[in-house]
């Protein structure tokens, strides 16, 4: 949460530079620009469709309130409304304690000819604007997972192996394209979702995407992990044809 607050505060630094203000070693005030950035972050469509843990949001807004008070600023109406709704909301679903959603944004690799040249040091901010547009338009995936591996189960936890496998599927799509793929220990479904979605659309192939397997079989030893996996696949618009459990 503190990292998000720091990132929002840097929006104030940008405003000061545009106004020609001198650089200061003291922290920037948590003013209108920072609070606007925080509001956009908390109310972003991804954050509302795949909400983070309620305790995390409460901690984030509490830090924002303290930062505003420390810099002598009042909370904006929009952030104040978020604070009021968050701290007056009735806490339901104790079984959801410790669960959260994580969202990843990724890009399909392009050929060297399609890559943009590196930005020049001519003070032109166009490349930065293009990067922002790329991130906004880039595909994203969101997953429900447990922060504590021992409480949520190993299959409901985030593992670097899944992220590395997803990166491999993106950068080496021919390894998976039109092949039958079995993933042992699919976990929350990071790699599975990326593989099922495939890469860039290919012309003249009935809308098929590069790198998409002909069949994808996902496994996990824990029934709870499989149920959470199916839920994550549905949330990311990945159709599941069949579901089997060996639990008795």
């Amino acid at each position: 949460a503190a990292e998000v607050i720091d990132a929002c505060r840097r929006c104030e630094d940008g405003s000061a530079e545009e106004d020609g203000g001198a650089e200061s070693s003291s922290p920037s005030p948590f003013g209108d620009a920072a609070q606007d950035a925080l509001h956009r972050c908390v109310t972003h469509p991804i954050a509302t469709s795949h909400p983070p843990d309620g305790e995390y949001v409460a901690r984030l807004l509490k830090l924002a309130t303290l930062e505003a008070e420390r810099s002598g600023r009042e909370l904006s109406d929009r952030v104040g409304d978020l604070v009021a709704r968050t701290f007056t909301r009735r806490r339901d679903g104790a079984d959801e304690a410790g669960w959260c959603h994580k969202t990843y944004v990724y890009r399909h690799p392009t050929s060297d000819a399609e890559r943009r040249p590196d930005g020049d040091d001519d003070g032109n901010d166009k490349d930065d604007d293009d990067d922002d547009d790329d991130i906004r338009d880039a595909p994203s995936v969101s997953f429900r997972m447990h922060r504590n591996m021992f409480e949520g189960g190993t299959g409901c936890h985030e593992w670097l192996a899944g992220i590395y496998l997803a990166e491999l599927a993106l950068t080496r799509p021919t390894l998976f394209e039109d092949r039958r793929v079995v993933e042992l220990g699919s976990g929350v479904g990071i790699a599975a979702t990326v593989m099922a979605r495939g890469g860039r659309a290919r012309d003249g192939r009935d809308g098929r995407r590069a790198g998409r397997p002909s069949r994808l079989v996902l496994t996990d030893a824990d029934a709870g992990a499989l149920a959470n996996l199916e839920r994550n696949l549905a949330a990311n618009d990945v159709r599941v044809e069949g579901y089997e459990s060996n639990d008795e």
Side-chain angles (χ1 to χ4, degrees), residues 159-242:
W159 293 96
L160 287 177
I163 297 176
Y164 291 151
L165 182 56
E167 290 179 348
L168 180 64
L170 285 171
T171 55
R172 299 289 187 272
T174 56
L175 293 176
F176 305 89
E177 186 171 353
D178 293 331
R179 295 176 181 267
R180 289 174 293 179
V181 177
V182 177
E183 184 183 5
L184 303 179
S186 302
V188 297
I190 295 176
T193 299
V194 172
M195 284 190 284
R197 284 184 171 185
R200 291 185 176 276
R202 305 183 70 167
D203 297 333
R205 297 193 60 177
D206 300 326
R208 284 188 60 81
R209 292 183 172 271
R212 181 177 292 174
S214 61
R215 183 173 179 81
L216 183 58
V217 179
L218 310 177
T219 69
D220 204 287
D222 181 67
L226 284 175
N228 185 61
L229 171 63
E230 187 174 19
R231 175 175 177 171
N232 283 336
L233 294 175
N236 288 285
D237 298 323
V238 175
R239 185 169 58 90
V240 178
E241 294 183 354

Side-chain angles (χ1 to χ4, degrees), residues 56-241:
Y56 171 82
V57 176
R59 187 166 64 253
L60 178 65
L61 294 175
K62 182 177 180 180
L63 283 175
T65 303
L66 293 174
E67 287 296 321
E69 291 178 352
R70 188 176 295 117
S71 57
R73 303 296 183 95
E74 293 184 355
L75 289 179
S76 66
D77 291 341
R78 293 193 298 176
V79 174
D81 181 61
L82 284 176
V83 172
R85 285 191 284 116
T86 298
F87 288 97
T88 57
R89 184 181 302 146
R90 186 166 61 93
R91 295 286 192 266
D92 290 328
D95 58 329
E96 287 294 308
W99 290 89
C100 65
H101 286 82
K102 286 192 177 183
T103 299
Y104 304 87
V105 175
Y106 62 94
R107 297 176 180 175
H108 298 298
T110 59
S111 65
D112 291 337
E114 291 176 311
R115 288 194 178 98
R116 292 197 312 270
D118 293 335
D120 299 328
D121 295 330
D122 57 359
N124 189 348
D125 293 332
K126 185 176 185 302
D127 287 343
D128 294 337
D129 295 337
D130 289 343
D131 288 341
D132 291 341
D133 292 338
D134 287 347
I135 293 175
R136 260 195 305 271
D137 298 333
S140 63
V141 288
S142 295
F143 303 95
R144 176 180 179 267
M145 61 184 69
H146 205 284
R147 295 198 301 266
N148 189 327
M149 175 180 65
F150 300 103
E151 291 183 11
T154 56
C156 297
H157 187 69
E158 172 190 34
W159 293 96
L160 287 177
I163 297 176
Y164 291 151
L165 182 56
E167 290 179 348
L168 180 64
L170 285 171
T171 55
R172 299 289 187 272
T174 56
L175 293 176
F176 305 89
E177 186 171 353
D178 293 331
R179 295 176 181 267
R180 289 174 293 179
V181 177
V182 177
E183 184 183 5
L184 303 179
S186 302
V188 297
I190 295 176
T193 299
V194 172
M195 284 190 284
R197 284 184 171 185
R200 291 185 176 276
R202 305 183 70 167
D203 297 333
R205 297 193 60 177
D206 300 326
R208 284 188 60 81
R209 292 183 172 271
R212 181 177 292 174
S214 61
R215 183 173 179 81
L216 183 58
V217 179
L218 310 177
T219 69
D220 204 287
D222 181 67
L226 284 175
N228 185 61
L229 171 63
E230 187 174 19
R231 175 175 177 171
N232 283 336
L233 294 175
N236 288 285
D237 298 323
V238 175
R239 185 169 58 90
V240 178
E241 294 183 354

Side-chain angles (χ1 to χ4, degrees), residues 42-58:
V42 176
T43 60
H44 191 278
I46 291 178
T48 54
S49 60
H50 304 286
D53 181 74
E55 293 182 1
Y56 171 82
V57 176

